């Protein structure tokens, strides 16, 4: 029997315990498929006395994950602690320097340091694998780096944060305001320790930046992802969008345009009958578009112990089988520095605003739009409960407009003297 592949596991939380359970439950199946046994030799977490849902008695314990990464009886270092600096970064660097391969679920670490780590790994002849870092159990990294390797990727899109999709679909289905559902999500334990990572779009932006690097052969550039969270999405907009045949999603889009690389993670309206529009609850969906293959839709659990550990172990099996690919699908030294697009591709927009219900009010707003070069496609006046009797709520759907023109028109609305409060603008994405 060939020598076992020996794992050092740093992190024994949701994902780490899931990894232990799969290694123990499927030892025979994994050995058969990998052609050699896969065993855990040592583990690390902060609190050794904590009760965990796994038998750790056969494993050495290291309090310091850097020491774990350097152990002679570890071939592959699995980093499932989290955090983009601190122990996650130090131990990953230590593992590479000590000649170990690395598997990680940590999108924050790679979004911030992915290029430097990939250069370090490849110059040391090591691999870093991160299937679990994007969309949990969905094999999207494998799809991009292997299944679609011969395609020029035209666009990557997706709903990549389950918590945000849970909040938005729950608001819609139960007719509840954001604040109430946010609190529900907190009670259910869905939110990250820093909730802004979820609802601020940061976690999903990290994931998009990793997909974008593979898809377009560019260095990871999370700093250039346009980010907007879901905190300002109101139940009114969700309901109006639904009446018009749309759903509101926190949607990631990455594409190369004539103006540069566009990466954005923002709330968008998508058609209700599209696969993305129909996505419910905490599920993730990634849509990949290649010039030869057309559109591929991947859907599944984006988080949770089993799905995420499944992805970690898929990477481990590849290493056990001797599959060694560049971290981002091509040698890191050949990845181009991205040229970020200064603004997003023009799109139709949904605009909602309350106006004083008096003669000429609509005309003044329409003039602002016209002067900004924006053409109106549809307009409707809504009878909105709770709105003062002398106000009218109006919704415009524009023809394709540049984001800068929409922003300019919005900046002109207050001077009309007919706008009440603020106008809301949400992009409508063709998916
Ligand atoms: P978690 O439940 O909070 O577990 C983190 C683990 O890391 C804990 O066992 C903790 O030890 C350990 N740890 C933290 N700091 C440490 C340190 N300085 N030294 C040693 N151990 C340390 O986190 P998780 O949900 O499993 O997530 C782990 C990683 O996977 C993160 O990067 C996350 O973004 C990513 N991920 C998670 C999911 C998911 O569904 N949870 C999905 C995809 C990706 P103690 O237990 O002793 O406190
Ligand atoms: N907070 C993340 C989510 C966990 O809600 O999708 C998985 O990355």
């Amino acid at each position: 029997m060939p020598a076992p592949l020996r794992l050092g596991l740093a992190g024994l939380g949701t994902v780490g315990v899931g990894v232990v359970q799969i290694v123990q439950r499927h030892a025979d199946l994994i050995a058969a498929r990998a052609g050699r046994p896969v065993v855990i030799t040592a583990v690390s977490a902060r609190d050794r006395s904590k009760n965990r849902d796994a038998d750790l008695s056969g494993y050495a314990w290291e309090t310091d994950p850097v020491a774990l990464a350097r152990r002679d009886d570890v071939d592959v270092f699995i980093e499932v602690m989290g955090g983009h600096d601190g122990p996650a970064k130090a131990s990953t660097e230590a593992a590479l320097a000590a000649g170990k391969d690395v598997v990680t679920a940590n999108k924050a670490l790679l979004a911030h340091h992915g290029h430097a780590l990939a250069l370090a790994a490849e110059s040391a002849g090591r691999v870093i694998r991160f299937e679990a870092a994007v969309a949990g159990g969905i094999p999207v990294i494998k799809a991009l780096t292997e299944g679609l390797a011969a395609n020029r990727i035209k666009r990557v899109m997706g709903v990549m944060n389950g918590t945000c999709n849970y909040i938005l679909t729950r608001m819609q289905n139960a007719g509840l305001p954001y604040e109430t559902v946010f609190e529900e999500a907190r009670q259910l334990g869905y939110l990250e320790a820093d909730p802004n990572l979820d609802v601020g779009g940061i976690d999903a932006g990290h994931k998009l930046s990793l997909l974008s690097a593979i898809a377009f052969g560019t260095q990871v550039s999370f700093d250039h992802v346009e980010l907007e969270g879901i905190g300002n999405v109101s139940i009114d907009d969700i309901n109006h969008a639904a009446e018009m045949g749309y759903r509101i999603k926190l949607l990631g889009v990455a594409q190369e345009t004539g103006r540069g690389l566009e990466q954005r993670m923002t709330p968008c309206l998508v058609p209700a009958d599209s696969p993305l529009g129909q996505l419910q609850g905490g599920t993730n969906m990634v849509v990949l578009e290649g010039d030869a293959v057309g559109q591929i839709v991947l859907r599944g659990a984006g988080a949770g112990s089993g799905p995420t550990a499944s992805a970690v172990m898929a990477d481990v099996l590849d290493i056990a089988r001797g599959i060694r690919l560049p971290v981002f699908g091509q040698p890191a030294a050949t990845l181009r520095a991205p040229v970020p697009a200064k603004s997003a591709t023009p799109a139709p927009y949904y605009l909602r605003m309350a106006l004083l219900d008096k003669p000429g009010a609509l005309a003044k707003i329409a003039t602002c739009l016209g002067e900004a070069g924006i053409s109106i496609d549809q307009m409707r006046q809504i009878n909105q409960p709770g709105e003062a009797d002398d106000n009218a709520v109006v919704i415009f759907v524009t023809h394709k407009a540049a984001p800068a023109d929409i922003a300019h028109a919005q900046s002109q609305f207050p001077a009309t003297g007919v706008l009440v409060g603020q106008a809301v603008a949400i992009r409508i994405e063709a998916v």
Side-chain angles (χ1 to χ4, degrees), residues 107 160-164 190 192 198 203 207 284 302-303:
K107 54 267 181 178
M160 302 175 205
N161 183 277
T163 304
C164 288
Y190 288 180
E192 301 269 349
D198 285 318
D203 167 81
K207 295 167 183 168
N284 282 197

Side-chain angles (χ1 to χ4, degrees), residues 139-158 160 208-218 252-258 260-263 286-298 328-330 335-336:
V140 60
I141 305 294
K142 197 173 257 297
L144 263 180
T145 51
E146 297 181 48
L148 304 185
N151 283 256
R152 181 168 294 282
I153 300 298
K154 297 197 294 192
R155 184 166 66 156
V156 174
M157 272 188 302
M160 302 175 205
L208 184 73
S209 72
L210 301 180
L211 293 184
S212 188
I214 301 171
F216 305 113
T218 50
V253 178
Q255 59 191 350
E256 271 196 316
T257 70
L261 178 63
E262 185 175 326
Q263 304 179 89
V286 183
V287 179
L288 305 172
E289 293 173 357
D291 62 349
V293 75
Q295 192 180 73
I296 300 277
V297 179
L298 300 164
F328 291 104
Q330 67 184 65
L335 294 166
R336 287 174 291 118

Side-chain angles (χ1 to χ4, degrees), residues 12-15 45-47 50 52 80-82 87 105 107 303-304 308:
L12 291 168
T14 305
V15 183
R46 279 176 299 212
D47 180 359
K50 198 186 267 187
R52 303 181 197 268
V80 284
M81 294 180 289
K107 54 267 181 178
T308 313

Side-chain angles (χ1 to χ4, degrees), residues 78-120:
I78 302 182
E79 187 281 298
V80 284
M81 294 180 289
H84 65 77
D85 280 308
K89 178 165 179 275
S91 57
T92 298
E93 289 170 343
L96 296 173
K100 325 287 184 183
D101 294 324
V102 172
V103 175
T104 181
N106 190 337
K107 54 267 181 178
L109 174 72
L110 293 179
H112 288 275
H113 306 293
H115 187 58
L117 289 171
L119 287 171

